[in-house]
Amino acid sequence: MGQLILAVVLVVFIGVVLARAIRIVPQATACIVERFGRYHRTLQAGLTAVIPFIDRIKVEVDLREQVVTFPPQPVITSDNLVVSIDTVIYFQVTDPKAATYEIASFIVAVEQLTVTTLRNVVGGMDLERTLTSREEINNELRGVLDEATGKWGIRVNRVELKAIDPPASIQDSMEKQMRADRDKRAAILAAEGQKQSAILTAQGQREAAVLKAKGDAEAVVLRAQADAEAQAMRAKGQADAIAMVFKAIHEGKPDQRLLAYQYLQTLPEIAKGDANKLWIVPSEMNKVLENLGGLFSPSKDQARTDQNGSTG
């Protein structure tokens, strides 16, 4: 019975020794091993073995990039205004030994260093520059923190300002100023639009007047050309008619009686005008009538011919 108990105790002891001797370190994690209270070595990811009751794992250090958000911090600008600034730090442990033994709590150290550096940087800026210089503040904070935390085995990758909140009264004044600026820009744009509209309207009216004047001038010129061509054609027609009449008269060899007859036919045409109140008979009318009377009496040659015919 005693041997059985001893065997069981021995098996339990061996199991405990093996459990404490074999260590499985997760990925992206480092374990700090102390031997008799002093730093011995750093265990990397994987299956490793330590000496039980001699070696002790002091702490497991996360090697992944970590994100820490700090509560809003009141910061005074150069123009004596208090602003509340939220910061976010992205850092990574590069030396687990230094992060364990060089600083008691690197999270608290980073937070306090961030607050101090932020007050130094923002204290040299006025409110307007603080609100518009986030990138500049981020770069200065990252440079200072990275330099200070290097001996702690920490690398600061990025520093971001989440929010910069000025006092409520300042926010109200800024909103009023922004509204006034927007109203001013809107009024300027409206005035410029009206100005451009008036200019374009005037230009359009001027161009329309110019085009209308050109059209009227061209119409007058065309009408004058048409009238001139019509007059020329009428004159040519009258000339051709006169030439034809003149030619017909000469080819027909008219005698005195024919001319007298045509003269009589022309006289009524002269008297047709509404403005003709008085009609004066020309003095040669008697001679014309004598010639006209001769149209109905046989000529001497005709009478002689008729007489000779009757005698025969």
Side-chain angles (χ1 to χ4, degrees):
M1 187 65 180
Q3 293 179 354
L4 181 59
I5 295 174
L6 181 61
V8 171
V9 172
L10 183 60
V11 170
V12 172
F13 177 75
I14 294 173
V16 172
V17 170
L18 290 177
R20 299 194 60 175
I22 299 175
R23 294 288 183 176
I24 299 177
V25 181
Q27 182 67 31
T29 303
C31 294
I32 302 300
V33 178
E34 292 182 344
R35 178 170 290 179
F36 300 115
R38 297 182 60 182
Y39 171 77
H40 176 60
R41 62 177 177 146
T42 301
L43 300 181
Q44 303 299 328
L47 180 63
T48 59
V50 295
I51 301 176
F53 308 108
I54 297 177
D55 295 337
R56 181 177 68 92
I57 295 180
K58 177 177 178 59
V59 66
E60 291 185 359
V61 180
D62 192 349
L63 301 180
R64 295 173 298 179
E65 185 175 16
Q66 301 182 42
V67 181
V68 179
T69 302
F70 300 135
Q73 299 295 327
V75 181
I76 301 177
T77 62
S78 61
D79 47 357
N80 295 325
L81 293 175
V82 179
V83 294
S84 180
I85 301 179
D86 295 349
T87 55
V88 179
I89 306 296
Y90 298 81
F91 70 92
Q92 187 175 11
V93 176
T94 57
D95 186 355
K97 177 184 176 182
T100 302
Y101 294 103
E102 296 296 333
I103 188 71
S105 176
F106 57 82
I107 297 294
V108 176
V110 169
E111 179 182 2
Q112 296 303 317
L113 185 60
T114 300
V115 173
T116 304
T117 307
L118 186 63
R119 289 175 177 174
N120 291 334
V121 173
V122 177
M125 300 180 179
D126 56 11
L127 178 61
E128 183 176 359
R129 185 182 174 189
T130 301
L131 296 175
T132 58
S133 303
R134 291 191 177 216
E135 189 65 26
E136 180 181 354
I137 298 174
N138 292 338
N139 292 333
E140 291 192 22
L141 281 175
R142 190 184 65 81
V144 173
L145 292 174
D146 193 27
E147 181 180 359
T149 58
K151 63 181 181 179
W152 301 338
I154 298 174
R155 183 181 64 222
V156 178
N157 297 326
R158 294 191 307 276
V159 179
E160 299 291 341
L161 301 183
K162 288 177 57 179
I164 301 177
D165 299 326
S169 59
I170 300 299
Q171 290 184 7
D172 185 58
S173 300
M174 294 174 61
E175 291 177 359
K176 291 181 179 179
Q177 182 179 1
M178 292 176 62
R179 284 196 298 269
D181 291 339
R182 286 195 295 267
D183 294 340
K184 178 181 177 181
R185 288 195 297 268
I188 292 175
L189 291 176
E192 290 180 353
Q194 293 176 358
K195 177 182 176 182
Q196 293 295 329
S197 176
I199 292 174
L200 293 176
T201 302
Q203 290 179 351
Q205 293 176 354
R206 183 183 65 183
E207 292 176 358
V210 171
L211 292 176
K212 184 176 183 302
K214 288 183 179 180
D216 294 341
E218 292 177 357
V220 171
V221 172
L222 292 176
R223 283 196 296 270
Q225 291 178 354
D227 293 342
E229 292 178 358
Q231 291 178 3
M233 293 181 66
R234 285 196 297 269
K236 183 178 179 182
Q238 292 176 358
D240 293 341
I242 293 173
M244 292 177 64
V245 172
F246 184 77
K247 181 179 179 182
I249 291 173
H250 281 276
E251 289 180 354
K253 296 179 180 181
D255 54 8
Q256 189 69 24
R257 289 177 296 177
L258 178 59
L259 294 177
Y261 179 73
Q262 292 293 330
Y263 183 76
L264 288 176
Q265 287 183 339
T266 306
L267 288 177
E269 296 296 331
I270 297 175
K272 283 182 180 180
D274 295 337
N276 295 331
K277 303 298 183 180
L278 181 63
W279 186 33
I280 300 175
V281 178
S283 59
E284 63 270 15
M285 177 62 70
N286 294 329
K287 187 176 180 180
V288 172
L289 293 176
E290 292 177 359
N291 293 330
L292 185 60
L295 293 174
F296 303 98
S297 62
S299 61
K300 293 180 179 182
D301 294 336
Q302 183 66 31
R304 190 181 296 111
T305 302
D306 296 339
Q307 187 177 2
N308 291 330
S310 60
T311 302

